[in-house]
Amino acid sequence: MRIGVLAASSVANPDVIAPVSAFAAVAYPEIDLVFNPQCYAQDGHFAGSDAVRAAAFLEYANDPAFDAIWFLRGGYGSNRILATIMPQL
């Protein structure tokens, strides 16, 4: 299973991604976590502008190679991109 991970709201903590990836590789070897570089983008307290976050979501959501999408961070920022992404799924 291939899971795309992105930050639809707040910026990711880069110190957490490596240990989480290492744990997942050992505990769930059948799962491939793919972190979008957008997780590290920053625009104020968001993980990139609304356009950047929406583009990252659409990139993974519309890619048939991914079985699931996980939000690394949730919150208000994810609601801000909803109207943009829904018509493009």
Side-chain angles (χ1 to χ4, degrees):
M1 174 178 274
R2 190 164 190 236
I3 300 174
V5 184
L6 54 99
S9 189
S10 301
V11 178
N13 180 345
D15 296 333
V16 174
I17 291 178
V20 166
S21 296
F23 172 77
V26 172
Y28 305 98
E30 72 281 4
I31 295 176
D32 182 22
L33 294 180
V34 182
F35 289 84
N36 192 296
Q38 167 275 329
C39 293
Y40 306 107
Q42 192 159 7
D43 185 3
H45 65 278
F46 293 120
S49 66
D50 290 353
V52 166
R53 289 181 285 110
F57 178 85
L58 289 168
E59 175 189 350
Y60 279 13
N62 289 331
D63 185 340
F66 288 104
D67 299 298
I69 303 295
W70 285 354
F71 287 175
L72 185 63
R73 302 284 309 256
Y76 172 69
S78 58
N79 293 329
R80 292 170 48 132
I81 65 172
L82 184 63
T84 301
I85 63 172
M86 289 306 291
Q88 298 181 59
L89 290 174

